[in-house]
Amino acid sequence: MSTSQRFDRGHTDDMMSFLAASPSPYHAVANAAERLEKAGFRQVAETDAWDGTNGGKYVLRGGAIIAWYVPEGAAPHTPFRIVGAHTDSPNLRVKPLPDTGAHGWRQVAVEIYGGPLMNSWLDRDLGLAGRLTLRDGSSRLVNVDRPLLRVPQLAIHLDRSVSTEGLKLDKQRHLQPVWGLGDDVRDGDLIAFLEHESGLPAGEVAGWDLMTHSVEPPAYLGRDRELVAGPRMDNLLSVHAGTAALAAVATGPGARELPYIPVLAAFDHEENGSQSDTGADGPLLGGVLERSVFARGGSYEDRARAFAGTVCLSSDTGHAVHPNYAERHDPTHHPRAGGGPILKVNVNNRYATDGSGRAVFTAACEKAGVPFQSFVSNNSMPCGTTIGPITAARHGIRTVDIGVAILSMHSARELCAADDPFLLANALVAFLEG
């Protein structure tokens, strides 16, 4: 066993706790930061002047976190090793005027975020979580993690066609959850409820970024508990693995002599295109890396040299072969749950992997003693994409797309093999160590 292989089933237990505690991107980055703090990292403010000292540091912005560890004696032109991931997942998000209802039902007005499997949100007990912005500009996390909302499905007696034509959902009319009874719908009721839940004075909340989540906790599944069912694996599974890997490398015996600067970059808004100040197509990562170079006395030439030697692993979940729909997959590439991380390839650059990137990932997996698999889409099916091509194009950084193979991607509850999360984390440690 390689010295890089340090995670086991305990990592999967911890991942499940991380999923349960992270119902929104804001909670996810707060939980990642807390874990990094325990490993000796400290937060730096973007508005402050940065120094060139060694050690672990991180920046929080909204639902994104960039964390890095500077080993002793790192030169300004030292390249980076980056694990990239995203914190957001498809769900139902609260509109600016949330209080609505009809026919004796009190409801919450929601908008569809990303591309969820909408049927998976029906008849499911939902909580509400996110960020409240107060009148003084500060923010407060809120998490009502108990059955509060429900999107009720129409009974089959009122729509017999569902048996022959399948379920058809109108995003505007059919996905507004109920949360009470009554005809007296008053503006401000939902926010007043959340102020009370958060211990805030009435009228203190000036803005909000709120979203629904399933309150059913992650769980082991199957006769031998070899599967994990849970929410937001796409892509908090990778955020958790990247956080654990960075903390392990920064506290390991070889931390002072690392040949690279290990980085975790977890972005928001991947599910709707990454174009935001906290998304992968924004300036956050480039700005942090550049400031790290300049804080260590570097020049633009040092920045160029550092970026030229940098490699990013864009880690996101991918598709395991589905036993009931095997014809939807490429006939010669069938990634299996439990088979280790997947290397994603698409010659049209929907993924950023090329042959040189494959070599980097192969070396990391061999060092960690971790098996890996290759994924390509069926030629007759459209291929999804990730932050990988965006990172490569925006920063000129060699990028490799990888991840863990799951089923039910974009469902309110997804499924993976119980061993794959720690296999991924072990590979990430080996990659960050160089």
Side-chain angles (χ1 to χ4, degrees):
M1 181 181 296
S2 164
T3 56
S4 294
Q5 192 166 6
R6 61 192 72 194
F7 298 116
D8 54 21
R9 267 293 175 93
H11 173 89
T12 303
D13 294 337
D14 190 61
M15 180 205 72
M16 294 165 68
S17 297
F18 185 82
L19 294 178
S22 305
S24 77
Y26 314 108
H27 289 83
V29 298
N31 289 323
E34 181 180 5
R35 291 160 187 259
L36 291 171
E37 291 269 0
K38 292 178 180 178
F41 285 69
R42 63 181 177 87
Q43 184 176 359
V44 294
E46 292 185 83
T47 54
D48 290 345
W50 292 5
D51 59 46
T53 56
N54 61 287
K57 306 172 186 179
Y58 68 90
V59 165
L60 288 181
R61 184 192 291 184
I65 182 171
I66 310 292
W68 67 102
Y69 178 83
V70 181
E72 289 187 11
H77 60 268
T78 300
F80 302 92
R81 281 283 174 110
I82 305 169
V83 173
H86 68 88
T87 61
D88 59 320
S89 302
N91 54 24
L92 311 178
R93 301 205 172 186
V94 175
K95 289 183 176 180
L97 300 176
D99 299 293
T100 186
H103 306 292
W105 296 98
R106 299 179 68 187
Q107 295 176 274
V108 174
V110 296
E111 190 173 3
I112 313 304
Y113 178 83
L117 285 172
M118 293 188 293
N119 64 290
S120 71
W121 291 87
L122 301 178
D123 295 332
R124 190 179 293 275
D125 296 338
L126 304 176
L128 198 62
R131 178 179 66 175
L132 301 173
T133 301
L134 309 185
R135 293 194 176 277
D136 63 3
S138 64
S139 61
R140 177 80 62 89
L141 296 184
V142 62
N143 181 15
V144 183
D145 194 30
R146 65 177 186 271
L148 179 68
L149 308 164
R150 187 180 180 90
V151 182
Q153 188 170 188
L154 184 65
I156 192 171
H157 313 79
L158 304 178
D159 183 13
R160 298 287 183 179
S161 67
V162 73
S163 298
T164 55
E165 300 176 16
L167 179 65
K168 298 178 181 179
L169 294 172
D170 181 281
K171 293 180 179 180
Q172 178 61 43
R173 294 184 295 128
H174 299 154
L175 291 172
Q176 308 305 312
V178 300
W179 77 306
L181 298 174
D183 292 306
D184 184 17
V185 176
R186 298 178 301 275
D187 289 342
D189 274 4
L190 179 67
I191 301 307
F193 165 77
L194 294 175
E195 287 173 333
H196 181 266
E197 287 283 313
S198 303
L200 294 169
E204 186 66 19
V205 172
W208 52 87
D209 302 279
L210 300 167
M211 57 206 72
T212 58
H213 66 275
S214 171
V215 299
E216 185 180 4
Y220 284 105
L221 185 146
R223 184 192 65 182
D224 299 318
R225 292 165 54 89
E226 58 191 343
L227 300 170
V228 171
R232 300 177 294 283
M233 291 183 186
D234 179 18
N235 184 33
L236 294 188
L237 186 157
S238 294
V239 174
H240 176 261
T243 302
L246 179 60
V249 170
T251 57
R256 294 183 177 183
E257 291 81 33
L258 289 170
Y260 302 99
I261 296 173
V263 179
L264 169 68
F267 302 101
D268 202 352
H269 302 132
E270 189 272 348
E271 297 294 355
N272 60 13
S274 294
Q275 291 186 323
S276 71
D277 70 321
T278 53
D281 203 18
L284 182 58
L285 176 62
V288 168
L289 298 185
E290 288 179 348
R291 291 184 69 178
S292 174
V293 170
F294 299 151
R296 285 177 280 121
S299 63
Y300 183 82
E301 182 72 12
D302 292 312
R303 179 260 188 218
R305 293 175 64 189
F307 277 42
T310 292
V311 184
C312 174
L313 291 188
S314 164
S315 183
D316 203 346
T317 54
H319 304 294
V321 62
H322 198 300
N324 300 336
Y325 301 90
E327 73 281 359
R328 300 297 182 98
H329 300 265
D330 182 85
T332 59
H333 294 77
H334 279 177
R336 301 177 61 154
I342 56 174
L343 179 73
K344 303 181 187 180
V345 178
N346 180 267
V347 295
N348 293 302
N349 288 330
R350 300 291 286 172
Y351 303 128
T353 307
D354 62 10
S356 65
R358 178 187 175 92
V360 171
F361 187 60
T362 298
C365 289
E366 289 178 348
K367 179 182 178 183
V370 168
F372 75 92
Q373 312 172 79
S374 295
F375 172 85
V376 296
S377 290
N378 185 305
N379 288 345
S380 300
M381 304 286 292
C383 180
T385 191
T386 68
I387 66 167
I390 294 171
T391 303
R394 183 169 183 84
H395 306 294
I397 289 173
R398 181 165 46 152
T399 304
V400 189
D401 272 295
I402 65 162
V404 162
I406 69 171
L407 292 183
S408 305
M409 187 184 294
H410 285 200
S411 172
R413 197 165 176 84
E414 298 161 326
L415 185 70
C416 77
D419 291 348
D420 280 338
F422 70 79
L423 293 177
L424 172 65
N426 285 323
L428 296 182
V429 167
F431 166 73
L432 291 176
E433 287 178 339

